[in-house]
Amino acid sequence: MLIVKKFGGSSVANKERIFNVARRCVEEYQKGNQVVVVLSAMGDTTDDLLELAATISDKPSKRELDMLMSTGEQVSVSLCAMAIQELGVPAVSLNAFQVRMRTSRVYGNARLKKIDRNRIQSELENNKIVLVTGFQGVNRYDDVTTLGRGGSDTTAVALAAALHADACEIYTDVDGVYTCDPRIVPEARKLDEITYDDMLDLATLGAQVLHNRSVGMAKKYGVELVVRSSLSDAPGTIVREELKVERKLISGVAVDKSPARISLIGLHDIPGIAFKVFNLLGSQGISVDIILQSVGRDGTKDISFTVDRKNLQDALKVLEANLSKLTAERIEHEENIAKVSVVGAGMMTDPGVAAKMFEALFNADINIKMIATSEIRITVIIDEINADAAARAVHNAFLPED
Ligand code: ADP
Ligand code: ASP
Ligand code: MG
């Protein structure tokens, strides 16, 4: 069997953890399997590298940031290869350039396009455990790119698809996918299995246990995933197309502490204003999430929307520069907000879901700032300080203990 195993940052955070990963890989190898290992950078290395860059420049070049961030994963794969060799098993570490993992051009958020199998396959045929850097690729200019924060999961799934692996195991610091982040909601329950669709919704709305693109890719190529703990032998959660048991109406609650709100006040209430605002932001590569427009009064209206906090300053800058063209009186913004979503296919058929969510927040005395709904989720924007309490209140209203 060919098995792809991915270990996240906390699973390789120090020497002991690296030897723990090495041992798990060696055990698999000694069962007669071929083993490809994808690693993230050790512990908080990626954050530390970003902080280091900030000591040099307020606005470092995106190309150089990717060059810098990609070093973290090289440290962990080379150290882990050494640890496996110490255990008496041949191993080789490869970076994205050596594998030839091609991505789109864009730095910081590149998409994997094509993976060359040759080098990995020849190393496997030489009976080596192959360790591959997660989170990085190479674009058409032969420059290093990164896949977005948390992107090592996507590297693992892409490798599993390209190599037609028999299993793809994502090892992390929790023992599976829960109905909500177990660090925020201790009552959250571990799921034995979850569909690609439900997992994709949860990941997209903030459940960082899997990179959302890794889930989309797993669905596209039919790669069954197992999410499990690197520190225990608990069975974990299987992510697949169909469930063995009936699909639950509410799959979980997701929390996202990364948004910021921008409001444009006093816009002229005439056609074309929303187009101008969002076209301007789009042209700067800034994506917008929840949008609210007020009903026009006295010929003016307000538009509020959320962006990722890391794009807030860029968004404010371009909007300020175009204030009169957009006909806005002024701009307001707010950084310390959070997004809490209840997710599930049951939303489509149950008109009471929204009321139940708002009641749970009311009972917890939490004020709602913005609301967005679709057939599969209801999202509220609240003050970040209330995020954990809101998640607990909403989770316990929809997914009470059995
Ligand atoms: P890794 O470094 O292994 O990739 P991450 O920090 O990216 O780990 O993801 C694991 C974390 O995801 C957990 O520690 C947990 O706090 C968080 N998390 C958020 N939502 C969920 C969820 N629904 N189920 C499990 N973990 C979740
Ligand atoms: N090291 C990268 C990050 O911290 C990638 C990953 O962990 O998946 O985002
Ligand atoms: Mg992760």
Side-chain angles (χ1 to χ4, degrees):
M1 290 225 294
L2 170 55
I3 298 173
V4 173
K5 291 179 183 290
K6 179 261 170 178
F7 295 86
S10 54
S11 304
V12 290
N14 54 38
K15 175 183 144 191
E16 285 71 33
R17 295 275 172 98
I18 287 178
F19 270 104
N20 171 58
V21 168
R23 266 191 301 277
R24 291 193 86 127
C25 296
V26 165
E27 272 167 28
E28 199 71 81
Y29 174 90
Q30 284 171 341
K31 286 185 207 153
N33 295 315
Q34 292 185 313
V35 184
V36 174
V37 188
V38 174
L39 298 183
S40 296
M42 294 170 70
D44 296 329
T45 300
T46 312
D47 290 326
D48 296 344
L49 290 170
L50 286 171
E51 273 173 32
L52 197 57
T55 64
I56 303 286
S57 165
D58 286 341
K59 205 156 176 27
S61 124
K62 293 197 166 144
R63 179 193 182 278
E64 300 310 329
L65 272 182
D66 276 5
M67 192 69 183
L68 179 70
M69 282 194 287
S70 69
T71 61
E73 273 67 15
Q74 287 203 47
V75 171
S76 40
V77 288
S78 50
L79 290 178
C80 194
M82 293 174 205
I84 293 172
Q85 290 162 2
E86 280 294 313
L87 299 176
V89 169
V92 62
S93 63
L94 299 172
N95 65 18
F97 203 86
Q98 292 167 309
V99 173
R100 297 188 199 290
M101 270 199 241
R102 290 287 163 191
T103 69
S104 59
R105 260 180 312 170
V106 50
Y107 300 108
N109 198 20
R111 280 171 190 270
L112 276 172
K113 285 186 148 171
K114 195 164 180 289
I115 297 181
D116 191 338
R117 292 194 294 258
N118 291 334
R119 177 73 191 265
I120 296 181
Q121 269 168 347
S122 75
E123 299 290 359
L124 288 171
E125 278 156 24
N126 286 329
N127 291 319
K128 289 186 185 160
I129 293 181
V130 181
L131 298 106
V132 181
T133 48
F135 176 57
Q136 59 181 260
V138 183
N139 70 13
R140 70 162 90 142
Y141 308 120
D142 279 354
D143 280 340
V144 178
T145 53
T146 62
L147 311 182
R149 298 304 304 270
S152 299
D153 301 327
T154 302
T155 309
V157 174
L159 277 173
L163 298 166
H164 306 293
D166 300 286
C168 183
E169 302 167 349
I170 310 288
Y171 289 85
T172 183
D173 56 1
V174 281
D175 53 12
V177 178
Y178 281 70
T179 48
C180 188
D181 187 338
R183 290 181 208 290
I184 298 177
V185 179
E187 304 85 9
R189 283 192 299 282
K190 199 194 94 185
L191 301 165
D192 294 331
E193 45 177 12
I194 184 169
T195 63
Y196 293 125
D197 288 339
D198 286 345
M199 189 63 238
L200 189 60
D201 295 335
L202 283 175
T204 304
L205 290 163
Q208 70 177 38
V209 62
L210 284 174
H211 192 228
N212 71 341
R213 264 199 237 144
S214 74
V215 186
M217 194 176 285
K219 179 177 163 76
K220 183 167 171 198
Y221 294 102
V223 177
E224 191 170 293
L225 303 178
V226 183
V227 180
R228 49 187 299 199
S229 163
S230 61
L231 296 171
S232 84
D233 286 323
T237 302
I238 300 172
V239 189
R240 55 157 77 111
E241 187 68 44
E242 298 281 343
L243 297 189
K244 297 235 164 79
V245 298
E246 203 185 330
R247 194 171 165 193
K248 293 228 171 46
L249 293 180
I250 302 293
S251 50
V253 173
V255 184
D256 181 355
K257 296 180 183 171
S258 70
R261 174 183 64 86
I262 297 179
S263 296
L264 295 170
I265 311 291
L267 297 159
H268 290 181
D269 194 12
I270 51 170
I273 296 295
F275 163 64
K276 280 187 190 152
V277 171
F278 297 110
N279 191 41
L280 190 63
L281 293 167
S283 69
Q284 302 294 308
I286 298 168
S287 32
V288 170
D289 187 18
I290 297 168
I291 302 174
L292 273 187
Q293 178 176 299
S294 68
V295 177
R297 193 185 302 145
D298 301 331
T300 68
K301 64 186 173 190
D302 307 333
I303 295 183
S304 296
F305 53 90
T306 60
V307 296
D308 198 290
R309 251 175 241 177
K310 68 176 186 298
N311 293 327
L312 177 65
Q313 291 311 324
D314 286 349
L316 289 174
K317 205 165 134 198
V318 63
L319 292 168
E320 298 278 3
N322 289 278
L323 210 58
S324 56
K325 200 166 124 202
L326 299 174
T327 74
E329 261 166 36
R330 62 176 202 281
I331 304 179
E332 288 177 1
H333 71 274
E334 189 178 19
E335 221 166 324
N336 298 324
I337 56 169
K339 187 163 115 176
V340 174
S341 308
V342 52
V343 181
M347 226 74 68
M348 283 185 263
T349 47
D350 188 344
V353 175
K356 192 165 171 178
M357 181 174 191
F358 303 152
E359 183 188 21
L361 292 168
F362 166 61
N363 288 338
D365 201 21
I366 292 168
N367 190 36
I368 302 172
K369 305 191 138 198
M370 293 165 97
I371 300 170
T373 63
S374 79
E375 299 98 84
I376 51 106
R377 56 116 174 191
I378 297 172
T379 296
V380 294
I381 296 285
I382 54 175
D383 281 327
E384 184 178 359
I385 198 171
N386 293 327
D388 293 2
R392 276 195 292 273
V394 173
H395 180 275
N396 297 342
F398 286 101
L399 298 155
E401 281 178 90
D402 299 323

